[in-house]
Amino acid sequence: MGDVSQCRSCGERIMFIRMKSGKSMPVNPTFVNFKKNPGGKDRIVLPSGDVIACDANVSVDEADGYGYVSHFATCPMAGKHRNKRGKM
């Protein structure tokens, strides 16, 4: 896991997790408890770099683990950074 940094768009604190692909994903630096749910609507980035479907923000008693929320999901300026593939 990386050092805490600052989003250049919104100014919020972020950190980077190295994904299995080798790329780094910006995440919010606060831990989020989750319960595994393959059909869940939430996505959590694990410290290992995996992304899983789950139910996020559950109590510690029912949690299967913890992870991070992608900063792309919460940044008000995320659309500014989206890759416009095929657009020229």
Side-chain angles (χ1 to χ4, degrees):
M1 284 175 273
D3 296 326
V4 175
S5 186
Q6 189 173 23
C7 176
R8 289 181 276 174
S9 296
C10 72
E12 289 294 319
R13 290 171 29 127
I14 59 171
M15 61 185 240
F16 291 89
I17 299 286
R18 177 82 51 195
M19 306 303 292
K20 298 288 182 179
S21 67
K23 295 182 179 183
S24 293
M25 178 181 287
V27 297
N28 298 335
T30 306
F31 289 131
V32 173
N33 293 323
F34 70 86
K35 183 160 187 65
K36 293 178 185 174
N37 180 356
K41 65 177 179 66
D42 298 317
R43 300 292 181 268
I44 293 292
V45 182
L46 301 179
S48 65
D50 291 315
V51 177
I52 63 164
C54 63
D55 296 324
N57 296 312
V58 298
S59 71
V60 174
D61 294 338
E62 60 181 335
D64 291 323
Y66 68 89
Y68 302 94
V69 174
S70 167
H71 187 63
F72 294 124
T74 62
C75 181
M77 304 297 287
K80 174 180 171 185
H81 299 287
R82 285 204 175 28
N83 185 359
K84 295 174 178 65
R85 293 180 189 184
K87 304 253 178 168
M88 296 188 107

